[in-house]
Amino acid sequence: MQDHIQLDQKQINDDLLAGVLGMPKWWLPAVLFLTLVVFAGLGSFGYMMNKGLGVTGLNRPVMWGFFIVNFVFWIGISHAGIMISAILRLTQAEWRRPVTRAAEVMTVFSLMAALHTPLFHVGRPWREMWVFPYDFARGVWPNVRSPFVWDPSAVGTYLIASSLFVFIALIPDLAVIRDRAVNPLVKKIYGTMCLGWRGTPRQWKLQAVAGILLSALVLPVFVSVHSIVSWDFAVLIGVEGWHSTIFAPYFIIGAIHSGVSAVAMLMALSVWLWGLDKYLRPDHFDAIGRLLIVVATTWFFFFFLEWVFALYTLEGVEISLRELQVFQWPYGMLFLIFLATAFFIPVPMWMFKSVRRSAFWMFFTTLLVNVGMWLERFLIIIPGLVRRQPFTFDWGTYHPSIIEILIVAETFAFVALGMLLFSKFFPLIPIFDIKEGMVVRDEIKIGRRIVPATIRE
Amino acid sequence: MAESWGMVIDLDKCTGCQACVVACQSENNIPINDEGLFNQRRAIEWIRIERYWEGEFPDVKARFIPILCQHCADAPCEPVCPVFATYHNNEGLNVQVYNRCIGTRFCANGCPYHVRFFNFWEPEWPDSLKNQLNPDVTVRSRGIMEKCTFCVQRIRRTGRKAAQAGIDKSDAELERGLNPACVNACPTQTLEFGDMIDVLTAVKEGTRLPDEPKSKAGAKVKKELEEDGGRGYRLREQLGTNPSVVYLRKVDEHRKEVITHG
Amino acid sequence: MASGHAEHPGNPALVTAEDVTKDLLGKHEGTSNNFWRVASVFGILLILGIIGFVMRLSDGVSDTAVWGYYAAMFAFILTTAQSAPMVAIAPRIAKAHWRRPISRVAELWTVVGLFNLLLFIPMLWILPPLSDGRRSLWFYFDGGDVPSYSPHIWSTLAILGLVVIGVALLWMSALPDFAMVRDHAPDGWKKRWATRLARGWIGSSAQWNMQKHRLGILGAFYFMMLIFVHFLISVDFLITLVPGWVDSLFPITHAANGLQAGVATVLLTIWALYKFGGYKDYIAFDQIWALGKLLFALSLLWFWFWFSSFNIFWYGGKPEEQAIIELLMSGPYRWAFFGVFFFNFLFPMWTMMWNPLRRSTWGPPIIAASVLIGTFLDRIRLYVSAYSIDGIGNPAINKHVVVEIPETIYPSLADIFIMLGALGGMVFIFLMATRLIPIVNIWEQRELKLYEIHKTFHRTVVKVLGKPD
């Protein structure tokens, strides 16, 4: 980290709390606009609930459409928070420090957004709670063999664990805000939230232990969530394109691919919106770019294996499904866009150091990745269902209706709104972590060279 | 020992007249499928006749196959339902419990026979038809799945009658009452219905078929499975779903090779 | 042990880089009698293996079923010795300092690749040809013109590439050490060989840059090649032999098992060096601890991959899927499967969760031994069962589905000899290689002396680790 800037503690506090104690000019209009989009989406949902699912573009056999695509996409994005925080914390990677908070908060909000669409997409949303094992009056336990019962429990656990994760890391920063707030009411609120944090060695130790413990415990949850989401598809023998053993790891690695890309986008946005370029250095973009090369290549290998084994069976249904995915309009075009944006444009670009170190180009490439990964889910789910089934001539395609598009837009607006509201009340870059990073950073002189170094325990 | 209801469909007899489809629609309170619904691909037909053309003009032949819920013994739609809205009962029926269903449509994706239907809209009938609704069958609201039940309401009614008369449900006297609407309506007796527990169990476990099957339908299946060049087969058997519906292949002397759907 | 730094600040006799060089070269020079005793035991096992192979060969290669154990041993060496170098490559790319004393051990195992290359040659005859519609990775269509030997060609090229890259990696990493042996060691065959192999290494900046660069590239290529070989071997030599087995995750499960067993191999080797080899000053708690954690993580990963596959088969329940589960797990090789499950997952997981065991010098090696036993059983379970299905003209196979599950094949005397011989040969070749190449990387140890300093921080002494770009 040669271009590191050593800052004093006061400076760090001032910079990172600027968004909390003040308010940027664009903040209010942005929040109002996003609220509008959220309400438009919720209104569409109300209309859909009132009229029935006929207002969507769903049909037989395309029983799942944009809603489920969007669900898988947001679950995928939510994997970044844990990936960055837990794994990099356990491996003591220094570059994680300014990135963790934003990633974790994104996890929480994207999980909530992910929950929207499957809740909206069922035929009778007012009876949704029947998938939870509470309903003793009904006398029917949920069917534990169904992946749709595994889903709510896994996602729920993940949501609770990641919220806890955010909160544990937030406590020392809450105390800083408490100490700097002027309004006594605000002081009181933050004082309550930070649970009496005084910064004693014992408190620091407990906070660190809790962070590491949560990191280790949340990793299995993180793996289980997307595995289970993939099993929503892979357990079905009726849909040939979905019944594949690689789905669970393939979904996970795809989730990491899109999630880490989303974190890179967030980093670029933090630099532009809040001017945090003293904290998010080109080195951080470089590190995340290198990580993305590895993740993207692994993801591509899994994608390749899935295709190899689909063709290896030499079965008519599989081959015609692949033909549908690759050669038929509009899937063929989407497939080309997907391959280009998810792998063939970004990965060669990340090979260049100048791309990796530029916030703009990292934003651009990772935006492409997320477009591609959204399409990837679309291309798994929709052509998988559109396939030509035997014993029926219900062959057709699927056109999303305006209602579906509005609800999908709502999830994006919801996450953005959540992040903006969070950034108003809490610092998006962990103050204590940055300060710790400044303390443990050191240098070693070897001959004429100065090598960056880290203090370890 | 409880029953395991099954059906035999003799494709050699099917003329594609669609009487079964009409009978099913009226028996089971299925809303009118107009052209708009067909174009949206949201029509509901618990039993449907699929038509295939074989050969080149002028030597062209029409082939028909009625498709309905196969009531699989190992149904892929059952384990995926989170709320037990679809499950296998002790009579070998794959039942759909309407008021438990929350409409995830997971089962529809799981079904390899494309026989599960979702109510995208609230069902509607013209006023003139409202009095013909069958009081024994629930009208399904929007947002839930439905499918062929083997006319479970008729099976129940026959059960009650049989209990009153002190005879067995499968008794020949009660046959008309027991048979699903489609079976009764078929002018060529393509469809036959009956308790096939002995035959289906033997087929599933790969053991010898019973000497005297319990029902006529069972006897027919036994004959066609045991004979040399017998015509019996089940749809997509390689999926291991163990359907309760057995199809009998069409007899065609001009055909060189035997092709099964599957 | 309460903390990872109990040895700190280390042996007072090894403060400077020169001390380290002298000490390590001295250890490399001397060969104890015990070493030769151990080596001769493994040498005898190797000879037994050759006898077993000749016995097996006398049966001919037309019946593939009897070659199952041989194939399993080939795969076992691929999974352990040839996967071990990843322990050197991955931490070196991540610039982790704990790898320094053990990276050479991991790389030395690539030499065993040469032995495995020999073992691979008969496999070409054992692998059934692509006739009779056997499914293949190479998309053999019925009546198509695909040459029936295509899997043989690609697998051979891949495994040859892996071995060549592996040896090149070892040599590149050992260059500076050869130069040190050349410059400091007394006259003898070691010095002559080192002079020849050092290729005029004088330690100029250009040479160092070149070596670092090439090590990085060779390491990345070795990793890719290893994954590729696991992919080819698991598809060509396993999946295609069993009709109806379509498991797109399997190549990755195979490779994950390879990484797991590779870490276990290195862990066990460094434990032997720590305990019996007199390298306590270099290999210590830190290394065993780090590898133990890695082994723990990889064991969980293996389980997850296995479970992901199994879950789909079990839930799908198609006849072909049920046949696969019966063949590989619940049927004739049930004993092997339960062994694998216990040794590769249950035992490592439930013991490594326990702090006193994970943070000890004796715990992780036990787990490593357990993982190696599990891997051995796993190769037997997979390869012997796959080879026992005779795909050509077999009535028990109906349209790519196994209808009849074959009987268990237990090892004959020849198979037992082959198994002992493969294990013996593996260790014997490794032991011989340590005589030529120093088993602890001297230049990486010297480098550590530059990057690791100790500083007073407030009231304690802390370790400062340099991380070069």
Side-chain angles (χ1 to χ4, degrees):
Chain A
M1 308 281 161
Q2 248 118 40
D3 58 358
H4 161 68
I5 302 172
Q6 193 73 27
L7 299 160
D8 65 10
Q9 307 221 346
K10 188 171 180 320
Q11 171 90 45
I12 296 175
N13 283 347
D14 287 343
D15 285 349
L16 298 183
L17 289 176
V20 178
L21 300 174
M23 187 199 286
K25 273 200 296 293
W26 49 265
W27 190 84
L28 204 57
V31 166
L32 284 178
F33 172 73
L34 291 171
T35 316
L36 208 66
V37 180
V38 168
F39 275 110
L42 292 179
S44 313
F45 169 56
Y47 177 73
M48 186 170 81
M49 192 152 67
N50 193 28
K51 288 282 171 195
L53 280 174
V55 299
T56 63
L58 300 171
N59 56 55
R60 304 177 71 237
V62 191
M63 289 287 194
W64 290 352
F66 258 35
F67 290 153
I68 299 294
V69 173
N70 205 49
F71 167 64
V72 182
F73 175 78
W74 280 116
I75 291 280
I77 295 285
S78 77
H79 277 52
I82 301 308
M83 163 80 194
I84 298 282
S85 296
I87 296 182
L88 298 185
R89 197 175 292 200
L90 289 178
T91 55
Q92 298 182 314
E94 280 296 312
W95 64 270
R96 73 169 194 277
R97 293 186 189 276
V99 185
T100 47
R101 173 78 45 80
E104 289 159 12
V105 174
M106 193 176 65
T107 295
V108 174
F109 285 111
S110 54
L111 266 179
M112 290 181 187
L115 278 174
H116 283 193
T117 38
L119 293 182
F120 291 179
H121 106 291
V122 299
R124 303 203 288 186
W126 51 92
R127 295 200 171 162
E128 199 99 59
M129 66 285 190
W130 283 358
V131 301
F132 294 102
Y134 90 100
D135 194 6
F136 303 114
R138 231 167 103 250
V140 182
W141 202 251
N143 181 4
V144 288
R145 291 185 300 168
S146 169
F148 271 10
V149 169
W150 314 339
D151 255 342
S153 51
V155 176
T157 313
Y158 193 40
L159 187 57
I160 292 169
S162 51
S163 310
L164 211 57
F165 211 72
V166 172
F167 181 66
I168 296 282
L170 203 54
I171 293 176
D173 291 2
L174 290 173
V176 176
I177 306 177
R178 173 197 63 195
D179 297 343
R180 293 171 61 95
V182 191
N183 186 331
L185 181 67
V186 174
K187 224 179 172 66
K188 183 91 191 139
I189 293 172
Y190 283 103
T192 313
M193 276 197 290
C194 72
L195 307 177
W197 178 269
R198 284 280 174 282
T200 62
R202 185 181 136 77
Q203 284 179 334
W204 277 114
K205 197 171 174 189
L206 285 177
Q207 197 254 2
V209 169
I212 288 177
L213 211 59
L214 267 175
S215 305
L217 289 177
V218 86
L219 277 175
V221 181
F222 142 80
V223 171
S224 78
V225 170
H226 222 58
S227 303
I228 288 171
V229 169
S230 80
W231 291 333
D232 289 349
F233 306 99
V235 296
L236 294 174
I237 53 172
V239 190
E240 295 79 11
W242 292 354
H243 191 59
S244 168
T245 53
I246 205 171
F247 257 42
Y250 177 52
F251 271 47
I252 298 261
I253 190 77
I256 293 173
H257 187 28
S258 67
V260 175
S261 298
V263 171
M265 282 168 72
L266 266 188
M267 284 162 61
L269 285 174
S270 312
V271 169
W272 295 333
L273 296 179
W274 286 278
L276 295 175
D277 51 349
K278 270 185 276 191
Y279 301 90
L280 292 160
R281 306 293 306 158
D283 276 333
H284 294 103
F285 286 99
D286 191 32
I288 209 164
R290 285 167 197 235
L291 180 67
L292 273 170
I293 295 177
V294 176
V295 170
T297 316
T298 318
W299 169 80
F300 192 74
F301 179 61
F302 279 65
F303 169 79
F304 167 77
L305 272 187
E306 221 245 321
W307 269 77
V308 164
F309 274 81
L311 300 178
Y312 156 84
T313 61
L314 292 182
E315 267 162 21
V317 275
E318 279 281 5
I319 304 231
S320 67
L321 173 70
R322 301 295 153 173
E323 196 258 333
L324 175 70
Q325 266 183 350
V326 180
F327 294 114
Q328 282 184 29
W329 179 265
Y331 308 115
M333 179 198 63
L334 295 177
F335 190 80
L336 278 183
I337 298 177
F338 145 66
L339 270 190
T341 51
F343 189 79
F344 286 106
I345 296 176
V347 173
M349 281 180 75
W350 292 330
M351 294 288 170
F352 295 99
K353 203 169 186 171
S354 50
V355 170
R356 287 202 305 267
R357 298 180 70 84
S358 135
F360 171 76
W361 285 111
M362 283 306 284
F363 182 80
F364 175 73
T365 47
T366 49
L367 182 68
L368 285 187
V369 168
N370 271 310
V371 170
M373 291 311 285
W374 203 91
L375 283 176
E376 185 224 19
R377 278 61 177 258
F378 182 84
L379 284 166
I380 289 174
I381 293 170
I382 308 298
L385 289 171
V386 171
R387 87 280 188 209
R388 299 196 157 182
Q389 277 181 295
F391 306 117
T392 173
F393 291 100
D394 275 344
W395 300 338
T397 177
Y398 158 80
H399 302 285
S401 74
I402 182 75
I403 299 286
E404 284 172 283
I405 293 169
L406 275 175
I407 290 178
V408 167
E410 184 264 344
T411 58
F412 283 84
F414 176 85
V415 176
L417 182 63
M419 297 294 293
L420 283 187
L421 288 176
F422 185 91
S423 72
K424 183 69 201 76
F425 299 108
F426 309 102
L428 261 188
I429 289 184
I431 301 175
F432 81 92
D433 224 359
I434 294 288
K435 288 179 185 165
E436 192 182 65
M438 298 284 170
V439 173
V440 300
R441 191 171 276 119
D442 207 333
E443 277 163 353
I444 292 182
K445 208 157 182 288
I446 299 173
R448 272 172 301 174
R449 270 190 75 193
I450 291 175
V451 176
T454 314
I455 295 176
R456 282 285 151 81
E457 284 170 60
Chain B
M1 197 167 164
E3 296 87 349
S4 185
W5 303 108
M7 195 181 269
V8 186
I9 300 180
D10 188 345
L11 296 182
D12 199 38
K13 292 181 181 166
C14 182
T15 61
C17 70
Q18 310 248 12
C20 51
V21 178
V22 175
C24 178
Q25 301 277 128
S26 56
E27 168 78 22
N28 289 306
N29 296 345
I30 297 172
I32 310 294
N33 290 321
D34 56 18
E35 195 188 342
L37 276 176
F38 269 107
N39 286 340
Q40 291 174 349
R41 287 194 310 285
R42 288 168 179 172
I44 298 178
E45 308 167 279
W46 287 8
I47 183 169
R48 63 174 186 269
I49 305 280
E50 293 295 350
R51 183 197 60 201
Y52 296 84
W53 293 111
E54 252 181 38
E56 293 286 317
F57 183 82
D59 184 24
V60 69
K61 289 169 184 161
R63 299 280 189 238
F64 303 102
I65 180 167
I67 308 275
L68 69 165
C69 174
Q70 307 285 311
H71 292 271
C72 315
D74 298 313
C77 57
E78 284 167 8
V80 297
C81 178
V83 292
F84 274 123
T86 181
Y87 73 102
H88 222 69
N89 75 0
N90 58 353
E91 291 174 47
L93 294 181
N94 177 276
V95 290
Q96 178 75 22
V97 184
Y98 303 126
N99 50 11
R100 268 187 218 161
C101 178
I102 59 170
T104 63
R105 307 190 289 291
F106 206 163
C107 52
N109 288 339
C111 177
Y113 305 101
H114 199 58
V115 290
R116 293 188 144 268
F117 302 87
F118 184 70
N119 284 278
F120 284 96
W121 304 105
E122 196 74 40
E124 276 172 20
W125 283 269
D127 280 343
S128 58
L129 286 181
K130 279 189 177 151
N131 285 335
Q132 68 89 46
L133 291 179
N134 185 348
D136 287 344
V137 179
T138 319
V139 169
R140 282 79 58 189
S141 70
R142 79 189 133 83
I144 60 174
M145 299 300 302
E146 61 182 64
K147 64 167 206 45
C148 164
T149 60
F150 269 172
C151 286
V152 67
Q153 70 279 8
R154 300 174 69 89
I155 297 175
R156 291 283 169 273
R157 194 163 55 213
T158 313
R160 285 195 296 275
K161 274 190 189 165
Q164 280 166 4
I167 50 173
D168 192 65
K169 260 188 277 195
S170 303
D171 199 278
E173 262 177 57
L174 298 174
E175 197 187 309
R176 289 287 292 177
L178 178 73
N179 277 346
C182 54
V183 175
N184 282 342
C186 183
T188 59
Q189 294 180 340
T190 295
L191 310 164
E192 271 184 64
F193 182 75
D195 177 13
M196 308 212 305
I197 182 153
D198 40 0
V199 178
L200 290 175
T201 316
V203 170
K204 184 180 176 183
E205 286 165 8
T207 50
R208 219 171 62 83
L209 294 173
D211 291 330
E212 282 190 15
K214 285 174 79 176
S215 64
K216 275 200 309 187
K220 198 164 179 183
V221 170
K222 174 183 156 70
K223 181 168 157 278
E224 293 291 351
L225 286 180
E226 281 185 344
E227 246 174 33
D228 263 357
R231 301 187 291 142
Y233 71 97
R234 295 185 292 176
L235 295 187
R236 306 189 81 182
E237 213 152 6
Q238 77 276 27
L239 293 180
T241 52
N242 273 310
S244 300
V245 179
V246 179
Y247 286 81
L248 305 182
R249 202 174 289 130
K250 189 160 179 70
V251 180
D252 188 347
E253 287 165 10
H254 307 290
R255 203 130 128 234
K256 298 280 183 302
E257 55 189 313
V258 177
I259 300 167
T260 61
H261 296 288
Chain C
M1 221 177 283
S3 97
H5 310 289
E7 299 84 359
H8 213 48
N11 190 337
L14 300 173
V15 175
T16 65
E18 271 57 49
D19 296 341
V20 170
T21 315
K22 214 170 134 207
D23 186 52
L24 282 175
L25 279 176
K27 285 192 162 71
H28 176 56
E29 275 304 316
T31 308
S32 70
N33 285 337
N34 275 338
F35 174 86
W36 290 118
R37 273 185 214 120
V38 172
S40 55
V41 168
F42 287 106
I44 291 166
L45 288 181
L46 177 60
I47 293 166
L48 268 186
I50 295 170
I51 297 170
F53 177 71
V54 173
M55 284 161 71
R56 184 45 75 234
L57 207 58
S58 64
D59 295 340
V61 292
S62 53
D63 180 13
T64 52
V66 297
W67 286 93
Y69 281 92
Y70 180 82
M73 288 325 291
F74 161 76
F76 181 72
I77 297 179
L78 173 73
T79 326
T80 52
Q82 291 194 274
S83 304
M86 284 317 299
V87 179
I89 292 165
R92 190 178 281 151
I93 289 175
K95 301 187 188 96
H97 289 295
W98 58 263
R99 72 161 202 277
R100 292 180 181 277
I102 61 171
S103 60
R104 177 59 48 76
V105 174
E107 285 159 352
L108 260 181
W109 278 108
T110 57
V111 180
V112 182
L114 292 168
F115 175 55
N116 215 19
L117 202 58
L118 284 179
L119 287 186
F120 179 74
I121 296 169
M123 298 282 285
L124 293 174
W125 277 269
I126 299 163
L127 190 68
L130 269 189
S131 50
D132 290 359
R134 177 164 84 85
R135 278 174 178 161
S136 156
L137 182 62
W138 309 102
F139 308 128
Y140 179 83
F141 292 89
D142 281 331
D145 285 325
V146 179
S148 57
Y149 45 80
S150 53
H152 305 76
I153 288 186
W154 297 114
S155 300
T156 313
L157 284 180
I159 199 153
L160 195 65
L162 181 73
V163 173
V164 168
I165 294 174
V167 172
L169 178 73
L170 173 64
W171 183 47
M172 196 48 70
S173 142
L175 266 182
D177 289 2
F178 282 138
M180 261 175 274
V181 174
R182 176 194 65 196
D183 297 346
H184 297 287
D187 287 340
W189 66 272
K190 279 182 187 164
K191 186 172 182 133
R192 279 201 304 283
W193 273 99
T195 314
R196 217 167 292 163
L197 287 168
R199 307 293 297 170
W201 177 274
I202 51 166
S204 67
S205 323
Q207 279 179 334
W208 277 113
N209 283 340
M210 180 275 298
Q211 191 245 16
K212 287 265 155 81
H213 187 66
R214 290 193 185 165
L215 268 186
I217 296 213
L218 282 172
F221 268 104
Y222 190 84
F223 178 56
M224 283 193 253
M225 213 59 197
L226 183 69
I227 298 292
F228 189 54
V229 168
H230 272 293
F231 167 55
L232 289 183
I233 295 297
S234 61
V235 178
D236 280 342
F237 289 75
L238 268 184
I239 290 182
T240 61
L241 298 182
V242 184
W245 191 2
V246 182
D247 184 352
S248 41
L249 185 52
F250 191 76
I252 295 167
T253 318
H254 203 275
N257 189 203
L259 298 182
Q260 184 193 6
V263 171
T265 312
V266 175
L267 186 45
L268 214 53
T269 325
I270 64 168
W271 176 77
L273 287 179
Y274 169 80
K275 200 85 188 158
F276 310 112
Y279 284 94
K280 269 197 171 137
D281 289 327
Y282 304 94
I283 295 165
F285 171 74
D286 271 355
Q287 282 70 37
I288 295 179
W289 192 39
L291 284 189
K293 283 189 286 188
L294 209 54
L295 188 61
F296 182 35
L298 287 167
S299 300
L300 295 183
L301 195 69
W302 173 83
F303 167 73
W304 176 58
F305 284 147
W306 168 78
F307 183 77
S308 296
S309 292
F310 166 79
N311 191 37
I312 300 307
F313 283 160
W314 177 77
Y315 209 104
K318 293 199 243 177
E320 69 228 49
E321 293 170 335
Q322 285 168 336
I324 299 298
I325 290 184
E326 194 183 340
L327 176 67
L328 299 176
M329 288 171 215
S330 63
Y333 296 94
R334 196 190 309 132
W335 50 276
F337 174 70
F338 284 125
V340 176
F341 200 67
F342 179 77
F343 289 121
N344 267 7
F345 171 66
L346 283 184
F347 185 60
M349 177 172 158
W350 292 109
T351 48
M352 293 294 263
M353 280 166 67
W354 192 40
N355 276 349
L357 188 137
R358 192 175 66 247
R359 295 189 186 171
S360 68
T361 49
W362 53 270
I366 295 176
I367 308 303
S370 148
V371 165
L372 286 180
I373 295 170
T375 308
F376 185 75
L377 288 175
D378 196 39
R379 298 307 94 166
I380 289 175
R381 158 180 91 102
L382 292 166
Y383 284 81
V384 179
S385 61
Y387 273 76
S388 64
I389 293 176
D390 182 9
I392 301 159
N394 185 346
I397 292 167
N398 173 27
K399 274 195 173 176
H400 297 307
V401 181
V402 190
V403 178
E404 209 174 274
I405 306 293
E407 294 280 300
T408 318
I409 294 180
Y410 290 105
S412 67
L413 187 66
D415 289 329
I416 292 172
F417 278 3
I418 286 175
M419 286 193 273
L420 290 176
L423 293 180
M426 192 173 143
V427 181
F428 182 73
I429 289 169
F430 178 80
L431 288 177
M432 289 301 108
T434 62
R435 292 303 87 213
L436 183 62
I437 303 170
I439 194 157
V440 168
N441 208 326
I442 302 173
W443 66 267
E444 281 198 316
Q445 282 298 317
R446 290 172 59 108
E447 213 177 39
L448 184 64
K449 292 284 169 204
L450 297 176
Y451 286 132
E452 188 188 278
I453 58 171
H454 298 101
K455 255 190 183 172
T456 318
F457 182 78
H458 297 287
R459 273 175 297 176
T460 56
V461 176
V462 293
K463 184 154 73 175
V464 181
L465 286 175
K467 289 255 176 181
D469 285 325

